[in-house]
Amino acid sequence: MDNDISIYLDKNSSKPLYIQLYEGLRKSIEISKLVENEKLPSIRNMADTLGVNNITVVNAYKLLESKGFAYSKKGSGTYVKKVAEETNFEYLEDESMDLMTSGILTLSENSINFASVSPTPDLFPVEEFKQVLIEILERDKGKAFVYPEINGYGPLRSSISKFLEENYSIIIDPEEIQITSGGQQGIDIIAKTLIEPGDYVFLENPTYSGAVAAFQSRGAKIIGIPILEDGINIETLKKNIKQYPPKFLYTMPNYQSPTSYSYSNEKKKELIKLANENNFFIIEDDFLSDLTYDGENRFPLKAIDEFDKVIYIKSFSKILMPGLRIGILTAPRKLFKSIIKAKHTTDISSSGFIQRAFDLYLRKGFWKEHICNIKKDYKEKYELMIREANSLKKYGISFKKPGGGLSLWLKLPKELNAYDLYNECMKKDILIVPGKIFFINEENKDTNWIRLSFASLDKNQIKKGFYIINKCIESIKYNKEDRTRYVPLI
Amino acid sequence: MDNDISIYLDKNSSKPLYIQLYEGLRKSIEISKLVENEKLPSIRNMADTLGVNNITVVNAYKLLESKGFAYSKKGSGTYVKKVAEETNFEYLEDESMDLMTSGILTLSENSINFASVSPTPDLFPVEEFKQVLIEILERDKGKAFVYPEINGYGPLRSSISKFLEENYSIIIDPEEIQITSGGQQGIDIIAKTLIEPGDYVFLENPTYSGAVAAFQSRGAKIIGIPILEDGINIETLKKNIKQYPPKFLYTMPNYQSPTSYSYSNEKKKELIKLANENNFFIIEDDFLSDLTYDGENRFPLKAIDEFDKVIYIKSFSKILMPGLRIGILTAPRKLFKSIIKAKHTTDISSSGFIQRAFDLYLRKGFWKEHICNIKKDYKEKYELMIREANSLKKYGISFKKPGGGLSLWLKLPKELNAYDLYNECMKKDILIVPGKIFFINEENKDTNWIRLSFASLDKNQIKKGFYIINKCIESIKYNKEDRTRYVPLI
């Protein structure tokens, strides 16, 4: 890198250092101070030159790569790519966060990842799966690899129908089940089936950005309805229904992402009533109902869906294994023809081999013991998280006990900016998620939150993580004191 | 079924009997002569009442089910479902054909399926896959089931890059490869990445209906360019480029579906030139290049893509196993950010487990022997097909030897209507595909073709099949003689 490139990093800025560095390098590439195939400085050199942590440089380089501005040669280093197309900046932080939660932006070996909501491999039922996979190959031979029906392997749809009844008292005819390649594909297929450009689509605010992206890509007009501790804000919802009649409302009624809030039973019933009276669908994304730790019965909306208004999406990525890419959606019969057509244009069908294996896994009842195990394991981590999070209250940080799920949603006092904390933690090898990225058009909204997930952490990491987060808050507090006076709220 | 339901089937109509029956039953359901949960007559009773083949009734019932107008209880029979939504009739025959080619509309045990282009399970490398699957589970344990990178498992992208170079002299950086869940998903992701509503998209005419559906679903304006025996009609293409500047052209340069025609080398070069001069992309769907039987070197467009205009989609469903759902697409770097985003909103990523297994399968070089085996096997069937198809020339039926692929595309004389033949064959338990369904807005087009595929047939079935097809043509010929005089063209 020739020396007339000056990259200035503002350590007091609320913008993460690695993103500042990414932007600086990107600019140098665009104005051709860095040229195609030029080698970037080594991680260490760059870190030393700029006086930042190696991690900051690693992440900046990974971000450059993921954006197509750089490529890496194994054992050799990172090189410049020239890219014509413009980058969409609004989306940048959101995307970089996607990369983190899906584990692509990695930190060092001993980093602590409070961002990921993916379970750790040690919890996967690998042995049981190996058993069923081999059994399928011996039982079905080549047949295991033919195209299954578009809506899914028949026997699997039957055993899923049983699974839904036993676990969530959801009564569904196998003919009303569509097998999908994970929950996200369920969202994509619904978008293809229901959304006409210009349709209004309601989502909780904050919500899951993968759903927003899928709906926007079909030309939907996105409207965010605030979510409260006991579920969506019904009054605001009613106002918006009158003003912008929605095609559907996308909701996560139990342990909502990112807030981990759950709907009260009253609000669940109210929602079904509203959908029926105002004739819109409810897309229920259920990826965590199974993980309840406080004994409360938090049932899916689909279980009380007397008017057949709920399209129920179930992902098995969080409670089983992400790498399977198996999920389902159930929908009213009258939609099914269009859903099968949408699935066919999407990927013909999901892997018949995996479907056969999953069917056998369910029939052998392996899932019962597995869900017991992960619930026990997560419950212990959850209780530890609550204890540790209480230690943050002295800084004016508050949160609601979700009673289940894989994350805590913490409100920061205005003196403590979520991005400052995120940035400070990043320096110490701790990954947390600033709440802002989950909000729909976040202007003039109170977005000073952080999400801390424990899905992929062990107990020692949780303890150590909170110890460091405490330290980070302290150091921000003292840095700030010369500028603004810091007043703890307790 | 109460007796005042009269279903009239016109055996002289060009509309298949099972579709006439489906439409009749559907009407009775819509006007409530058949009510929700009413049991339909048994296959045999219905067949006897109407004086048709059991198969006709089986297919009509299957079609009712697939459309959501009926459901079946194992061992009990078929029952009526009430459906509010309207059915789109234009699409009907096309769809029912989708169900056939994907093997959902099954005929009896001893039916002969010239419609399916899916390889038979006995050709699948099951043992080798079992070996790599087990090896992966032992090597990676739980890691085998975590989320891979959105663009695909790194090592697999490297071994695919090598595979493409060794097999097709395509030089692609692993960073420019996106792993997809089969070829169809590649088409869907490209549609999401490139198409804005109102964009013009060019396709060969006739073409693959799954591509048309994916592009239309994104609001593209579809324009069909006739395909000739040596590739697309360049003159018509040039005219249309001037009049309707396309976002891209979707093409299958080798053994095109459904015609099995291949582009001449001149036309391949011409196409690359045109794309560069007029700045549109070429989507090359390569699913069969590997199956050449006449020694000709039919290279992919991507191999001569000097201007980086070709987006190359490779499906492994036909040459390996459909049930794997693994394919790839390669694209210019500047598109990659949007492609990764589209993949993420589509299904996050393809199964990491299958990707790891496929990587090992490629690294162990198993594919070399496998491709040899299937080529040898298909070549023998291909040559038999040619010999048998020659026996149809006496009826004025003509075709071009494709020199590869899995199908023959036969032109019928105007006296012999493709749907009559299709219908007649159906009665005799033979499945063939009328060419009409592959044409874009087929009005005033010469669509009197049939496609005969041998992918899932053995040699005896091919011989027997052609014997019966001969008989069917004879019987149509004699039926016709009282109406129109039939003149064989030789």
Side-chain angles (χ1 to χ4, degrees):
Chain A
M1 186 158 76
D2 54 18
N3 299 328
D4 66 351
I5 291 176
S6 48
I7 287 173
Y8 170 71
L9 303 184
D10 173 5
K11 296 189 180 175
N12 292 326
S13 156
S14 73
K15 184 176 281 179
L17 286 170
Y18 77 98
I19 288 183
Q20 292 183 47
L21 177 53
Y22 159 80
E23 289 174 0
L25 291 166
R26 188 171 161 283
K27 190 146 179 310
S28 310
I29 294 168
E30 283 172 342
I31 62 177
S32 296
K33 286 199 171 181
L34 289 168
V35 298
E36 181 88 37
N37 301 321
E38 180 174 350
K39 188 171 187 299
L40 291 173
S42 72
I43 306 290
R44 159 159 312 150
N45 287 347
M46 183 64 106
D48 294 348
T49 323
L50 297 169
V52 297
N53 187 307
N54 286 358
I55 306 310
T56 307
V57 182
V58 170
N59 284 317
Y61 283 12
K62 292 232 183 202
L63 205 50
L64 278 173
E65 277 190 57
S66 78
K67 300 264 167 217
F69 289 103
Y71 61 98
S72 57
K73 289 189 196 157
K74 214 163 169 38
S76 154
T78 306
Y79 295 79
V80 171
K81 272 185 209 170
K82 197 82 186 168
V83 181
E85 197 208 23
E86 245 321 299
T87 302
N88 157 0
F89 268 96
E90 300 80 75
Y91 209 70
L92 177 61
E93 288 174 3
D94 196 347
E95 270 181 283
S96 75
M97 211 59 59
D98 277 348
L99 299 176
M100 279 187 190
T101 48
S102 58
I104 291 170
L105 267 193
T106 46
L107 300 182
S108 72
E109 280 305 295
N110 40 34
S111 67
I112 297 176
N113 188 341
F114 281 102
S116 167
V117 286
S118 293
T120 44
D122 58 291
L123 286 178
F124 296 165
V126 177
E127 274 317 308
E128 292 78 359
F129 247 88
K130 190 168 166 186
Q131 189 181 323
V132 292
L133 287 167
I134 293 169
E135 201 169 321
I136 288 297
L137 290 168
E138 277 155 9
R139 188 192 77 187
D140 301 347
K141 312 249 172 352
K143 273 208 174 57
F145 296 98
V146 300
Y147 281 117
E149 296 185 21
I150 299 168
N151 52 336
Y153 177 57
L156 175 59
R157 283 183 283 115
S158 307
S159 40
I160 294 235
S161 164
K162 265 185 66 198
F163 175 86
L164 294 177
E165 183 169 359
E166 284 186 48
N167 284 268
Y168 323 111
S169 322
I170 292 176
I171 314 294
I172 290 285
D173 181 328
E175 294 303 309
E176 289 178 294
I177 293 172
Q178 168 70 58
I179 306 293
T180 63
S181 305
Q184 180 71 35
Q185 188 180 66
I187 293 171
D188 184 50
I189 286 175
I190 288 304
K192 286 183 170 128
T193 307
L194 293 182
I195 297 177
E196 299 295 330
D199 281 348
Y200 291 109
V201 165
F202 290 5
L203 296 91
E204 293 144 348
N205 198 18
T207 188
Y208 167 53
S209 61
V212 177
F215 301 149
Q216 273 171 340
S217 127
R218 297 292 299 181
K221 293 192 183 138
I222 302 296
I223 292 181
I225 312 286
I227 180 162
L228 312 173
E229 292 189 353
D230 68 342
I232 199 162
N233 183 324
I234 295 284
E235 289 323 306
T236 317
L237 176 60
K238 284 178 176 169
K239 278 200 208 77
N240 280 277
I241 290 172
K242 294 273 160 293
Q243 205 171 348
Y244 315 103
K247 181 64 70 79
F248 60 78
L249 162 71
Y250 170 85
T251 173
M252 295 165 276
N254 296 319
Y255 318 121
Q256 195 258 5
S257 171
T259 62
S260 294
Y261 296 158
S262 298
Y263 283 51
S264 65
N265 294 351
E266 295 60 40
K267 278 200 175 177
K268 284 177 181 172
K269 288 172 193 142
E270 177 74 14
L271 205 53
I272 299 279
K273 204 164 130 289
L274 282 172
N276 183 49
E277 288 166 358
N278 301 278
N279 192 36
F280 60 86
F281 286 111
I282 297 171
I283 314 301
E284 175 177 30
D285 190 346
D286 177 7
F287 58 106
L288 282 183
S289 283
D290 317 75
L291 299 182
T292 300
Y293 314 127
D294 63 359
E296 283 287 319
N297 168 26
R298 300 193 179 87
F299 51 83
L301 282 176
K302 189 63 189 171
I304 57 165
D305 178 26
E306 52 184 316
F307 308 112
D308 207 10
K309 279 295 177 189
V310 177
I311 293 170
Y312 179 74
I313 295 175
K314 180 79 194 171
S315 158
F316 294 99
S317 303
K318 303 277 178 289
I319 59 170
L320 209 54
M321 313 195 277
L324 279 184
R325 311 308 303 128
I326 284 281
I328 61 139
L329 72 82
T330 78
R333 287 199 165 127
K334 65 169 192 238
L335 287 182
F336 239 82
K337 183 177 141 272
S338 329
I339 283 174
I340 286 174
K341 199 163 142 188
K343 170 66 177 175
H344 188 262
T345 53
T346 300
D347 65 358
I348 310 289
S349 64
S350 298
S351 166
F353 173 55
I354 298 290
Q355 289 190 58
R356 286 164 190 259
F358 189 43
D359 173 50
L360 197 55
Y361 178 85
L362 290 173
R363 285 172 193 274
K364 286 175 179 280
F366 285 144
W367 58 270
K368 293 197 181 94
E369 192 190 347
H370 172 67
I371 290 185
C372 262
N373 294 342
I374 60 171
K375 263 182 82 165
K376 187 172 160 304
D377 183 274
Y378 282 137
K379 184 168 193 245
E380 289 171 4
K381 289 178 187 169
Y382 167 79
E383 282 158 356
L384 175 59
M385 285 289 287
I386 297 289
R387 283 199 299 280
E388 293 291 338
N390 285 331
S391 71
L392 300 179
K393 288 186 171 164
K394 59 178 173 295
Y395 304 113
I397 293 173
S398 57
F399 66 95
K400 172 185 192 289
K401 289 187 198 170
L406 295 169
S407 310
L408 297 185
W409 180 243
L410 301 98
K411 177 153 190 45
L412 305 190
K414 65 179 184 326
E415 308 81 12
L416 181 60
N417 178 290
Y419 271 102
D420 291 343
L421 182 54
Y422 164 67
N423 204 8
E424 196 65 25
C425 287
M426 183 74 90
K427 292 184 206 156
K428 301 276 186 307
D429 236 359
I430 304 275
L431 218 49
I432 68 172
V433 186
K436 185 158 177 269
I437 67 158
F438 300 107
F439 283 87
I440 297 163
N441 41 33
E442 64 283 339
E443 295 71 31
N444 345 318
K445 281 214 184 58
D446 157 28
T447 63
N448 200 26
W449 300 76
I450 57 168
R451 188 187 72 179
L452 299 180
S453 306
F454 55 94
S456 52
L457 300 177
D458 63 34
K459 291 181 186 162
N460 291 330
Q461 288 174 306
I462 293 173
K463 286 190 196 130
K464 186 174 169 216
F466 272 95
Y467 175 81
I468 298 172
I469 291 173
N470 267 277
K471 291 260 163 294
C472 292
I473 295 173
E474 292 291 340
S475 72
I476 293 173
K477 175 177 153 186
Y478 294 126
N479 290 339
K480 281 250 175 91
E481 267 168 349
D482 40 67
R483 290 183 275 140
T484 65
R485 209 171 117 268
Y486 179 83
V487 192
L489 298 188
I490 54 156
Chain B
M1 185 159 76
D2 53 19
N3 300 328
D4 65 351
I5 291 175
S6 49
I7 288 172
Y8 170 71
L9 303 184
D10 172 6
K11 295 187 180 176
N12 292 326
S13 156
S14 73
K15 183 176 279 179
L17 286 171
Y18 77 99
I19 288 182
Q20 293 184 47
L21 177 53
Y22 159 79
E23 289 173 0
L25 290 167
R26 187 172 161 283
K27 190 146 179 311
S28 310
I29 293 168
E30 284 172 343
I31 61 177
S32 295
K33 285 198 172 181
L34 288 169
V35 298
E36 180 89 35
N37 300 321
E38 181 173 350
K39 189 171 186 300
L40 291 172
S42 72
I43 307 289
R44 159 160 310 150
N45 288 347
M46 183 65 106
D48 294 348
T49 322
L50 298 169
V52 298
N53 188 306
N54 287 358
I55 306 310
T56 307
V57 182
V58 170
N59 284 316
Y61 283 11
K62 292 232 185 203
L63 205 51
L64 277 173
E65 277 190 59
S66 79
K67 299 263 170 218
F69 289 102
Y71 60 97
S72 57
K73 289 188 196 158
K74 214 162 170 40
S76 156
T78 307
Y79 294 80
V80 171
K81 270 185 208 170
K82 196 81 186 167
V83 181
E85 198 208 24
E86 245 321 299
T87 302
N88 158 359
F89 269 96
E90 300 79 77
Y91 209 70
L92 178 60
E93 287 174 4
D94 196 347
E95 270 180 283
S96 75
M97 212 57 60
D98 277 349
L99 298 177
M100 278 187 189
T101 47
S102 57
I104 292 169
L105 268 193
T106 46
L107 300 183
S108 72
E109 280 306 294
N110 39 35
S111 66
I112 298 177
N113 188 342
F114 281 103
S116 168
V117 286
S118 293
T120 43
D122 57 291
L123 286 178
F124 297 163
V126 177
E127 273 317 309
E128 292 78 359
F129 247 88
K130 190 169 166 185
Q131 189 182 323
V132 292
L133 286 167
I134 293 168
E135 201 169 321
I136 288 297
L137 289 168
E138 276 154 9
R139 187 192 76 186
D140 301 347
K141 312 252 178 344
K143 273 205 173 58
F145 296 99
V146 298
Y147 280 117
E149 295 185 21
I150 299 167
N151 53 337
Y153 177 58
L156 175 59
R157 282 183 283 117
S158 307
S159 41
I160 294 233
S161 165
K162 264 186 69 201
F163 176 87
L164 294 176
E165 183 167 359
E166 284 186 47
N167 284 269
Y168 323 111
S169 322
I170 293 177
I171 314 293
I172 290 286
D173 181 328
E175 295 303 308
E176 290 179 291
I177 293 173
Q178 167 71 58
I179 306 292
T180 62
S181 305
Q184 180 70 35
Q185 189 180 64
I187 294 171
D188 183 50
I189 286 174
I190 289 303
K192 285 184 171 130
T193 306
L194 292 182
I195 298 177
E196 299 295 329
D199 281 348
Y200 291 108
V201 165
F202 290 5
L203 296 90
E204 294 143 348
N205 197 19
T207 188
Y208 166 54
S209 60
V212 177
F215 301 150
Q216 273 171 339
S217 126
R218 298 291 300 182
K221 292 191 183 137
I222 303 296
I223 293 181
I225 313 286
I227 180 160
L228 311 172
E229 292 190 352
D230 67 343
I232 199 161
N233 183 324
I234 295 285
E235 291 322 306
T236 317
L237 176 60
K238 283 179 176 168
K239 279 201 209 77
N240 280 276
I241 289 172
K242 294 273 160 292
Q243 204 172 347
Y244 314 103
K247 182 62 73 76
F248 60 77
L249 162 71
Y250 169 86
T251 173
M252 295 165 275
N254 297 318
Y255 318 120
Q256 194 258 6
S257 172
T259 62
S260 293
Y261 296 158
S262 297
Y263 283 51
S264 65
N265 295 351
E266 296 60 38
K267 280 200 174 176
K268 285 177 180 171
K269 290 173 191 136
E270 177 74 14
L271 205 52
I272 298 281
K273 203 164 132 289
L274 282 171
N276 183 49
E277 287 166 359
N278 301 278
N279 193 35
F280 59 85
F281 285 111
I282 298 171
I283 314 300
E284 175 177 30
D285 190 347
D286 177 7
F287 57 108
L288 284 183
S289 282
D290 316 75
L291 300 181
T292 300
Y293 315 126
D294 63 0
E296 284 286 320
N297 168 26
R298 300 192 179 87
F299 50 83
L301 283 174
K302 189 63 190 172
I304 57 166
D305 177 27
E306 52 184 317
F307 308 113
D308 207 10
K309 280 295 178 189
V310 178
I311 293 169
Y312 179 74
I313 294 176
K314 181 78 192 170
S315 158
F316 294 100
S317 302
K318 304 279 179 287
I319 58 170
L320 208 55
M321 311 194 276
L324 279 185
R325 311 307 304 126
I326 284 281
I328 61 138
L329 71 84
T330 78
R333 288 200 165 127
K334 65 166 191 252
L335 288 182
F336 239 82
K337 183 177 140 271
S338 330
I339 283 174
I340 287 174
K341 200 164 142 186
K343 171 66 176 174
H344 189 262
T345 54
T346 300
D347 65 357
I348 311 287
S349 64
S350 299
S351 166
F353 173 55
I354 298 290
Q355 289 189 59
R356 286 164 190 258
F358 188 44
D359 173 49
L360 197 55
Y361 178 85
L362 290 173
R363 285 173 194 273
K364 286 175 179 281
F366 285 143
W367 58 270
K368 294 196 179 95
E369 193 191 345
H370 171 69
I371 289 184
C372 261
N373 295 342
I374 60 172
K375 263 182 82 164
K376 187 173 160 304
D377 183 274
Y378 282 137
K379 185 170 194 257
E380 291 171 4
K381 290 179 187 170
Y382 167 79
E383 284 159 354
L384 176 59
M385 285 288 289
I386 298 289
R387 283 199 298 281
E388 294 290 340
N390 285 332
S391 72
L392 301 179
K393 288 186 171 165
K394 59 177 173 296
Y395 305 114
I397 294 173
S398 57
F399 65 94
K400 174 185 192 287
K401 288 188 198 167
L406 295 169
S407 310
L408 297 186
W409 180 242
L410 300 98
K411 177 154 189 45
L412 307 189
K414 65 177 180 332
E415 306 80 14
L416 181 60
N417 178 290
Y419 271 101
D420 292 343
L421 183 55
Y422 164 67
N423 205 7
E424 195 65 24
C425 288
M426 181 76 88
K427 292 184 207 153
K428 300 275 186 306
D429 235 358
I430 305 275
L431 218 49
I432 68 172
V433 186
K436 187 162 177 260
I437 66 156
F438 299 107
F439 283 86
I440 298 163
N441 40 33
E442 64 282 338
E443 295 72 30
N444 344 318
K445 283 215 182 56
D446 156 29
T447 64
N448 199 25
W449 300 75
I450 57 169
R451 189 187 71 178
L452 299 180
S453 305
F454 55 94
S456 52
L457 300 177
D458 63 34
K459 291 179 186 162
N460 292 329
Q461 289 174 305
I462 293 173
K463 286 188 195 132
K464 187 177 169 214
F466 272 94
Y467 175 80
I468 298 173
I469 291 173
N470 268 277
K471 290 263 163 292
C472 292
I473 296 173
E474 293 292 341
S475 73
I476 292 172
K477 175 176 150 186
Y478 294 125
N479 291 340
K480 280 248 175 94
E481 267 166 352
D482 40 65
R483 290 183 275 141
T484 66
R485 207 170 120 272
Y486 179 83
V487 190
L489 297 189
I490 54 156

